[in-house]
Amino acid sequence: MATATEKESPKKPTAEDGAAPAAPQLNGLQKSAVLILSLKTELAAKVLRMLPRDMVEEVTREVASMDIVEPERINDAMHEFYTMAMARRYVEQGGVAYAYKLLQQTLTQDDATRIMRQIEHQVYQQPFSFLQKTDSENLLTFIQDEHPQTIALVLAHLSSTKGAEILKGLPAAKQIEVVARVANMEQTNPEVVKEVE
C-alpha cells in the first residue's frame, strides 16, 4: 500500500523509463517570442512598441523563426513573466529583501534566487549601459559638442576601453578638461544621471 507522500508526488518519467527526453530550456529571447506569440495581435503590438528598437528586431526575428511551441512551454513562459512582474511590484513596494522573501514563500528556492538575480540586474542596471553596444565613432559624434562635465559623466559610466576610444577622438584641450572632471568627480545625484542618460 502506497503512503500519502508517494501518492502526492509521483515519480516523473525519465528518458531511462522510455519517456521522451526533456526539451531544452528556452533562452530569454525565445521566452519573449513565446510570450508575444501567445498574445492577441493588438496586445502583442502594444508590448513591442514599448521595447527598444533593437530588441523589437531581435524578438520579431525570433518569432518569425519559431516552429510550433508546445503548450507546456507557453505556460512556463507565461508563468515566469507573471512571476517577474509580481517580483518587480514587490521590489517597488518593499525593496529587494521583501521581494526575495515573498518569492521564497511562493516558489522553489532555485526559482526564487534565479528570478531575484534577474530583477536585481534590472533594478541596479548600470547607467548608460545601452551605450556599451554603440559604436565608439557614432557615440563620439553624438557627445563631442556636449559640455565637458556631461562628457565626463558619460565616460565615467563606460568601460575603460570605450571611454579611452571616445576621449582619444576629442580635441586635446577638451580631453584635458574632461579628464580633470572625471578625476575630480564625486558621486552624482541619480536624478541628474537619469536626466543626462
Side-chain angles (χ1 to χ4, degrees), residues 153-168:
L153 181 63
V154 172
L155 295 187
H157 287 90
L158 295 176
S159 68
S160 56
T161 308
K162 191 175 261 319
E165 289 172 4
I166 306 293
L167 193 62
K168 193 168 61 175

Side-chain angles (χ1 to χ4, degrees), residues 95-115:
V96 174
Y98 174 71
Y100 187 49
K101 196 174 192 175
L102 285 175
L103 285 176
Q104 284 178 311
Q105 292 173 10
T106 311
L107 305 170
T108 66
Q109 182 64 39
D110 288 345
D111 285 345
T113 302
R114 179 179 51 78
I115 287 171

Side-chain angles (χ1 to χ4, degrees), residues 15 23 36 48 72 84 87 90 92 94-95 99 102 117-118 135 152 155 157 162 182-184:
I36 292 296
L48 286 173
E72 183 183 312
M84 291 283 288
Y90 298 154
E92 287 163 12
L102 285 175
R117 279 196 194 119
Q118 291 174 318
D135 178 64
L155 295 187
H157 287 90
K162 191 175 261 319
V182 169
N184 295 315

Side-chain angles (χ1 to χ4, degrees), residues 142-188:
F142 187 70
I143 68 167
Q144 66 186 351
D145 296 326
E146 294 290 337
H147 189 280
Q149 185 65 39
T150 303
I151 297 173
L153 181 63
V154 172
L155 295 187
H157 287 90
L158 295 176
S159 68
S160 56
T161 308
K162 191 175 261 319
E165 289 172 4
I166 306 293
L167 193 62
K168 193 168 61 175
L170 294 173
K174 204 165 204 175
Q175 284 180 1
I176 294 168
E177 262 191 274
V178 169
V179 169
R181 288 171 189 266
V182 169
N184 295 315
M185 189 177 288
E186 293 180 10
Q187 186 157 357
T188 311

